[in-house]
């Protein structure tokens, strides 16, 4: 019998301790299957069968391996733990427990174990036994815990966090409270389903900064990043204002792919199509609207734009720059618009109405002082532009030069207007009438979005035109006069260049910028 048992042990030793231990765990389970066990252990089925047959040969009275299950388990346990390996490792850990505070990681403990032990475990063996040692209830008490004392206030706050619906607060509260009660890190990590490194990190933060360090921090964006995003958005709007043909694309409208390519080619930085789409939406634009109002077909768009920007950058105190346009014509009748009403009520106005008159407001916005000059016209033609020039020359006769900027309407570039400008800019005329030099700075064709006064007109429409029902043309004129008077008074008392304040919910900042979109056709 002893010969057979020795043979069993000798041949059973072909399996490693780890494999025998896995076999032990599998065999303990009620649903033991040799095929599945062989796959899990990583050996052939015949190898497992041979081990069982050798054991069965020790008892000729019973050949059924399942009838003597307890005896077979005892045999496996004796083979797995010769000399009680767990007890031996527990003694090793008893000598290392004092080093756990200074050497918290497994690898650091193993390095120290190799230094003090002649026949040390390999790292994989040490890590394997260390994990089992921590999970064993009998040995967990040997783990040295850094006890923490909590104040009453901290305990109350942590208990509130623990009852909170915020999982992150619950996790941090569990970590601090359980650590203060002496629970090991490995148990706390398993409880909150976090790594031990994360638990140690939160404990260290609490020791250094207290609860303030564990509170959720608001994400702060660097100012330089915000400025870069702002610049990217402005550059994209500049590209939208230009025709795709100017950048080598044989298209009449922009695509996201083309914008990305043109941006990299023109500004030397990459912007993905997803970011371009997001930036455009944040600025309030969609491609259907962009195709209508954001693109100028003028082949001299850049030259005209650069000329205007040069004038504004070098504008002196004795020079004034005017943005000029006409508002209208529009009929005097009941208008629709947004109004504050009770829930369930609706404001209505008749579709067919008798007009009470028609009105055209010709106006000029001076950009450096933010002052409006306006009058009412019967029609849009060269004579009204000449009248505007006369009004401005009379009001600003103490200036050296006046710059007039308007869109590319036909009456803004007529021969009669050019002849009149040559006449008033002559030396004799200026000496006799004491008038400044008048110079034109026309906008590119179809570039109403660059006309700063359009932003003021949008604010005017929302304030005194939309949702109105004036009795006559005179009443409407009085409302417009008051609007411009109050606006001029405000900027006279608070001097600012156009664009530093949006008056009357104007569409955009009232300043000349190539990234502006001052006009929305739906408002007019």
């Amino acid at each position: 019998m002893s010969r057979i048992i020795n043979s069993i042990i000798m041949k059973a030793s072909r399996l490693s301790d780890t494999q025998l231990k896995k076999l032990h765990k599998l065999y303990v389970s009620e649903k033991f299957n040799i095929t599945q066990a062989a796959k899990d252990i990583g050996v052939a089925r015949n190898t497992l069968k041979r081990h069982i047959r050798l054991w069965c040969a020790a008892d000729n009275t019973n050949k059924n391996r399942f009838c003597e299950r307890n005896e077979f388990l005892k045999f496996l346990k004796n083979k797995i733990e010769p000399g009680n390996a767990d007890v031996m490792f527990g003694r090793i850990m008893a000598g290392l427990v004092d080093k756990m505070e200074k050497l918290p990681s497994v690898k650091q403990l193993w390095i120290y174990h190799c230094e003090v032990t002649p026949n040390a475990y390999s790292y994989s063996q040490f890590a394997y036994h260390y994990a089992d040692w921590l999970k064993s209830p009998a040995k967990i008490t040997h783990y040295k815990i850094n006890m923490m004392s909590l104040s009453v206030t901290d305990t109350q706050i942590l208990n509130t966090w623990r009852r909170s619906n915020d999982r992150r607060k619950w996790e941090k509260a569990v970590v601090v409270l359980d650590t203060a009660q002496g629970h090991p890190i490995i148990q706390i990590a398993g409880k909150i389903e976090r790594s031990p490194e994360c638990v140690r990190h939160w404990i260290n933060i609490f020791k250094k900064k207290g609860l303030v360090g564990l509170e959720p921090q608001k994400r702060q964006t660097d100012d330089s990043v915000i400025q870069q995003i702002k610049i990217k958005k402005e550059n994209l709007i500049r590209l939208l204002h230009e025709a795709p043909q100017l950048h080598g694309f044989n298209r009449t409208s922009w695509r996201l792919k083309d914008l990305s390519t043109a941006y990299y080619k023109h500004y030397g930085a990459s912007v993905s199509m997803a970011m371009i789409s997001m930036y455009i939406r944040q600025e309030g634009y969609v491609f259907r609207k962009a195709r209508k109002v954001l693109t100028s077909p003028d082949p001299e768009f850049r030259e005209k734009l650069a000329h205007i920007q040069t004038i504004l950058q070098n504008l002196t105190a004795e020079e004034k720059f005017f943005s000029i346009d006409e508002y209208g014509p529009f009929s005097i009748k009941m208008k629709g618009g947004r109004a504050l009403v009770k829930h369930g009520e609706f404001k209505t106005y008749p579709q067919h109405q008798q007009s009470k008159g028609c009105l055209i407001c010709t106006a000029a916005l001076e950009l450096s002082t933010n002052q409006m000059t306006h009058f009412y016209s019967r029609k849009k033609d060269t004579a009204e532009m000449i009248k505007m020039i006369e009004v401005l020359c009379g009001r600003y006769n103490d200036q050296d030069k006046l710059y007039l900027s308007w869109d590319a309407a036909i009456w803004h570039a007529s021969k009669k207007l050019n002849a009149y400008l040559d006449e008033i800019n002559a030396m004799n005329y200026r000496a006799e009438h004491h008038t400044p030099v008048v110079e034109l700075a026309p906008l590119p064709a179809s570039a109403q979005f660059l006309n700063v006064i359009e932003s003021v007109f949008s604010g005017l429409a929302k304030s005194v035109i939309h949702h109105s029902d004036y009795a006559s043309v005179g009443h409407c004129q009085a409302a417009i006069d008051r609007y411009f008077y109050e606006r001029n008074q405000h900027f006279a008392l608070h001097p600012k260049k156009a664009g530093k304040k949006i008056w009357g919910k104007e569409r955009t900042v009232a300043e000349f910028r190539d990234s502006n979109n001052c006009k929305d056709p739906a408002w007019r």
Side-chain angles (χ1 to χ4, degrees), residues 5 27 80 89 106 345 419 498:
I5 294 176
Y27 195 79
I80 292 169
F89 190 80
V106 179
E345 295 182 358

Side-chain angles (χ1 to χ4, degrees), residues 269-303:
S270 298
V271 183
S272 65
M273 291 187 289
M275 295 305 296
I276 291 175
S277 178
M278 184 182 70
Y279 290 156
I280 291 176
R281 289 198 306 270
Q282 289 178 352
E283 292 299 309
Y285 301 133
V286 294
F287 274 101
R288 285 176 294 180
K289 292 183 180 179
R291 291 168 185 163
K292 288 184 177 181
V293 300
L294 293 182
T295 301
S296 172
D298 196 330
E300 299 179 356
F301 179 90
R302 295 179 182 174
E303 291 77 6

Side-chain angles (χ1 to χ4, degrees), residues 28 36 51 116 152 164 198 336 344 366 426 465 500:
V28 169
Q36 187 62 38
H51 281 74
V116 299
V152 178
S164 172
C198 179
E366 204 290 302
I465 303 300
K500 299 302 181 182

Side-chain angles (χ1 to χ4, degrees), residues 333-349:
K333 58 184 179 179
M334 184 182 294
K335 301 284 187 179
R338 298 173 64 88
L340 184 65
V341 297
K342 189 177 180 181
H343 181 70
E345 295 182 358
F346 300 93
K347 293 284 186 179
T348 61
Y349 63 98

Side-chain angles (χ1 to χ4, degrees), residues 345-407:
E345 295 182 358
F346 300 93
K347 293 284 186 179
T348 61
Y349 63 98
Q351 180 179 2
H352 301 286
Q353 302 180 53
Q354 182 67 33
S355 177
K356 304 168 188 175
C358 186
L359 197 61
I360 299 176
C361 178
T362 304
L365 171 65
E366 204 290 302
L367 300 188
S368 61
T369 59
N370 225 331
Q371 296 294 303
M372 289 289 297
T373 302
H374 74 286
F375 57 83
Y376 301 98
S377 306
R378 294 183 179 180
K379 54 185 178 179
K380 298 180 180 180
D381 58 8
T382 301
E384 298 301 319
M385 293 300 99
I386 293 176
K387 180 180 177 181
M388 174 59 74
I389 294 174
E390 292 176 348
V391 171
L392 294 178
C393 288
R395 181 176 177 180
Y396 295 94
N397 58 0
D398 57 337
Q399 301 295 310
D400 294 337
K401 183 180 286 189
L402 305 180
Y403 293 97
L404 308 183
S405 179
W406 45 40
D407 55 29

Side-chain angles (χ1 to χ4, degrees), residues 131-233:
D132 280 352
W133 180 80
L134 287 179
K135 295 176 183 177
S136 176
K139 301 181 182 69
I140 270 180
T141 55
H142 295 290
Y143 196 103
K144 185 175 181 179
I145 299 297
N146 295 325
M147 303 296 291
M148 297 188 304
S149 59
L150 301 178
S151 64
V152 178
T153 304
D154 288 349
T155 304
Q156 292 176 351
I157 296 175
L158 288 170
N159 287 328
T160 304
W161 286 10
R162 197 165 192 167
R163 295 188 296 269
S164 172
N165 294 329
D166 190 335
R167 178 174 176 81
R168 184 59 64 87
K169 287 186 176 181
W170 172 82
E171 291 174 350
K172 294 178 179 179
V174 169
V175 167
V176 177
L177 291 173
D178 286 10
T179 303
Q181 294 175 4
H183 295 282
I185 290 177
I186 193 69
Q187 276 191 348
I188 300 174
K191 185 175 183 179
I192 66 173
E193 297 181 353
R194 292 276 185 174
S195 65
E197 290 74 14
C198 179
V199 174
R200 292 191 189 96
H201 177 65
W202 285 345
I203 293 173
N204 292 333
I205 290 177
F206 178 77
K207 289 180 179 179
K208 293 178 181 179
K209 300 180 181 180
L211 287 180
V212 177
L214 294 178
E215 289 180 353
Q217 302 295 326
K218 292 184 178 179
R219 183 176 180 180
Q220 296 181 353
T221 306
D222 191 358
D223 293 339
S224 61
V225 175
I226 297 176
Q227 185 64 24
Q228 289 177 3
I229 294 175
K230 181 179 178 182
I231 293 173
K232 287 181 179 179
K233 290 181 179 180

